[in-house]
Amino acid sequence: MARLDFPKDFVWGTATASYQIEGAANEGGRGPSIWDTFSRTPGKVVNGDTGDVACDSYHRYEEDIALLKKLGVKAYRFSIAWPRILPQGTGEVNQEGLDYYGRVIDKLIEAGIEPCVTLYHWDLPQALQDQGGWGVRSTIDAFVRYAEIVFQAFGGKVKQWITFNETWCISFLSNYLGIHAPGHRDLQLAMTVAHHCLVAHGRTVRKFREMGVKGEIGTTHNLAWCEPYTDSPEDVAAAQRTRGWNNEWFMDPTLKGTYPQFLVDWFKSKGAEAPIQPGDMETIAQKIDFIGINFYTGNYGRYRKDFGDFDYEEVQVGFDRTDIGWNVYPESLFKALKWVHDTYGEIPIYITENGACYNDGPSPDGKIHDEKRIDYYRMHFTQCHRAIASGVPLKGYFAWSLLDNFEWAEGYAMRFGIVYTNYETLTRTPKDSYYFIQKVIAESGLDV
Ligand code: JJW
């Protein structure tokens, strides 16, 4: 047994997102988002689930905050729904929407919990999608205006701001792979969306500085770790391309102000390119206070001609998998963190999401014995500790998620919560993993 102590000022937290937990889709003056449309499109979401009710956190946020307080977290990451603030994306502000988040933020502060706000966690107002969504530059202007309204309302109260959650998902998963809203399959569109989100991020950071808002601002990219199965140059290059697509394509512009040239060339060979206008790269690379990393899994793979978009095929090497099918490869978290530090220098890093999908329900004793989730967290905490010990400036960790919620295309079938949600009664029951994390936070460490 070994004792792993975390720094006393390490920020432990949990994370959620508006459309995944709030419900009340037609209340409080909220306008429709692309996820309302997408979830109503037959075949897009498992079981035809929608976020209409979700966890009903719009009405039950006080209960959620009580759970956070009992858990002992220092911070809570949640997102603001753009269509609650501006139901049409632009124009009239919906005061009821601002009031709702004002209550959440005040309750958190009252409970001694720092609010960490994501501005864009995928619920684009449908009215903007109807005008081209992230495929057109006018959406950048609309986003910066939305951010300005939110900064005005809550600046100074919110410790940390995250402009975008998982720009790879917003662009490629949603507009090239077609798996998330709006569900397009167009490589050039995905490249354009990625670029516009990055520019919107940079312009928002600039606005934040101009307004003199107190607090920290950054963005969150989801990283994927892909390792070559052999040392052959073909395997190494194929893994590098796939990693680059997920990681460098977003991290490089954000932190270096450039796109990785080897991928610029690769995409060009497929007829797609980022629509860069003069000044864009400098805008994107505004200095930020931290970089958020969402991390779930890694894999091994090898070169296979004309397979997928990057001639890369995963090789099964016997990893355990979570219930959503993702490999459990904790060491890849360490490798990814080390890579971020080695590549981008001393920028503070927050893991803004990490967690596991296991669909355990209540046992006859009424408790949820989610041993495999506890194992997942224990192994990933161990890798975080290892990263810190190696000099990686990892400052905090947000578990995904506080509670089971609407897991996008998987609907309610896939559970990531440390608190069990009963979707019939909407009651919340802390799982064993909740008590495990409660103990880690209380002791600022764990035995492994
Ligand atoms: C699907 C991979 C090809 C969320 C996917 C890739 C390509 C057939 C979880 N993170 O709910 C889903 N999540 O809202 C943000 N992150 O397909 C928060 N990434 O398959 C969580 C990635 C994801 C995905 C899901």
Side-chain angles (χ1 to χ4, degrees):
M1 267 232 304
R3 179 73 195 169
L4 303 180
D5 289 313
F6 278 78
K8 285 280 180 273
D9 60 354
F10 193 74
V11 178
W12 293 101
T14 69
T16 62
S18 47
Y19 190 71
Q20 296 182 272
I21 66 162
E22 285 178 2
N26 299 308
E27 288 180 55
R30 177 184 179 277
S33 84
I34 55 173
W35 271 95
D36 296 282
T37 308
F38 191 72
S39 63
R40 278 174 175 67
T41 309
K44 298 299 185 186
V45 175
V46 173
N47 296 324
D49 289 342
T50 74
D52 284 1
V53 178
C55 308
D56 194 35
S57 290
Y58 185 77
H59 298 112
R60 294 167 200 250
Y61 66 92
E62 289 181 89
E63 199 180 334
D64 295 345
I65 294 171
L67 284 164
L68 289 165
K69 189 169 182 184
K70 200 173 92 174
L71 181 60
V73 289
K74 187 184 280 187
Y76 176 52
R77 174 176 179 239
F78 63 100
S79 77
I80 291 183
W82 184 351
R84 283 198 191 283
I85 309 301
L86 295 149
Q88 300 303 312
T90 56
E92 281 292 296
V93 174
N94 173 41
Q95 188 59 40
E96 243 184 300
L98 282 177
D99 290 347
Y100 167 63
Y101 294 108
R103 290 194 294 277
V104 171
I105 288 168
D106 287 345
K107 272 280 166 209
L108 286 168
I109 293 170
E110 200 182 301
I113 299 164
E114 290 164 357
C116 170
V117 169
T118 308
L119 287 168
Y120 187 79
H121 201 126
W122 306 356
D123 33 13
L124 182 72
Q126 181 62 43
L128 292 179
Q129 185 62 47
D130 294 343
Q131 295 160 46
W134 288 112
V136 295
R137 276 184 90 100
S138 53
T139 298
I140 302 174
D141 302 324
F143 181 78
V144 178
R145 175 66 190 134
Y146 153 64
E148 185 182 10
I149 291 161
V150 174
F151 291 153
Q152 227 141 32
F154 306 124
K157 288 188 175 186
V158 171
K159 172 84 187 292
Q160 283 186 308
W161 296 92
I162 292 167
T163 53
F164 284 81
N165 179 71
E166 300 185 343
T167 316
W168 180 88
C169 289
I170 299 166
S171 51
F172 291 105
L173 188 64
S174 307
N175 291 282
Y176 178 55
L177 299 176
I179 294 171
H180 282 186
H184 295 307
R185 292 175 177 274
D186 177 338
L187 183 61
Q188 180 53 59
L189 177 61
M191 301 278 289
T192 300
V193 166
H195 186 69
H196 288 167
C197 288
L198 290 167
V199 172
H201 156 75
R203 280 193 44 199
T204 302
V205 174
R206 200 177 265 155
K207 175 66 75 182
F208 184 84
R209 306 293 187 213
E210 279 167 11
M211 291 173 71
V213 183
K214 274 219 194 93
E216 298 172 5
I217 191 163
T219 189
T220 281
H221 295 317
N222 52 306
L223 302 188
W225 193 254
C226 310
E227 275 180 70
Y229 185 61
T230 76
D231 288 339
S232 77
E234 292 80 11
D235 283 6
V236 169
Q240 188 190 24
R241 278 194 297 273
T242 306
R243 257 194 345 258
W245 178 45
N246 284 276
N247 307 345
E248 283 99 317
W249 192 259
F250 301 93
M251 293 287 279
D252 277 14
T254 306
L255 296 171
K256 293 180 173 174
T258 53
Y259 282 113
Q261 190 58 43
F262 74 102
L263 279 177
V264 171
D265 299 340
W266 184 265
F267 284 128
K268 204 163 244 170
S269 77
K270 300 189 176 278
E273 64 185 335
I276 304 170
Q277 292 195 3
D280 279 359
M281 300 315 291
E282 190 200 335
T283 297
I284 295 170
Q286 295 302 299
K287 190 178 175 304
I288 50 179
D289 301 307
F290 63 89
I291 183 78
I293 300 300
N294 289 355
F295 197 88
Y296 290 92
T297 189
N299 66 36
Y300 283 87
R302 66 180 152 216
Y303 174 71
R304 182 172 156 193
K305 190 166 165 37
D306 298 329
F307 189 81
D309 295 297
F310 300 93
D311 298 358
Y312 177 81
E313 178 186 40
E314 182 178 352
V315 177
Q316 300 302 334
V317 296
F319 288 120
D320 288 339
R321 290 164 177 246
T322 63
D323 288 348
I324 202 171
W326 299 352
N327 296 330
V328 178
Y329 182 11
E331 211 182 349
S332 67
L333 173 58
F334 172 80
K335 291 178 180 182
L337 288 168
K338 188 96 179 62
W339 171 77
V340 173
H341 183 220
D342 290 345
T343 311
Y344 303 103
E346 292 308 315
I347 180 152
I349 303 169
Y350 286 82
I351 294 174
T352 41
E353 284 180 27
N354 175 240
C357 174
Y358 291 108
N359 297 323
D360 309 273
S363 294
D365 64 5
K367 297 180 175 166
I368 299 99
H369 301 300
D370 56 339
E371 276 310 309
K372 285 188 292 228
R373 181 175 287 101
I374 293 175
D375 289 343
Y376 183 98
Y377 277 120
R378 185 188 294 107
M379 292 188 289
H380 286 77
F381 292 169
T382 300
Q383 299 301 324
C384 290
H385 185 274
R386 189 178 158 207
I388 295 168
S390 318
V392 174
L394 177 64
K395 304 299 183 189
Y397 177 102
F398 293 80
W400 184 271
S401 175
L402 171 65
L403 67 174
D404 297 333
N405 58 48
F406 178 78
E407 182 50 40
W408 307 113
E410 306 293 338
Y412 297 102
M414 294 294 156
R415 296 173 178 269
F416 278 84
I418 59 172
V419 172
Y420 182 82
T421 304
N422 178 322
Y423 292 110
E424 301 289 314
T425 62
L426 297 169
T427 52
R428 287 109 157 97
T429 309
K431 304 178 187 178
D432 287 356
S433 56
Y434 172 98
Y435 297 106
F436 169 75
I437 292 178
Q438 184 183 54
K439 187 163 181 284
V440 171
I441 296 173
E443 297 178 357
S444 188
L446 68 160
D447 294 314
V448 294

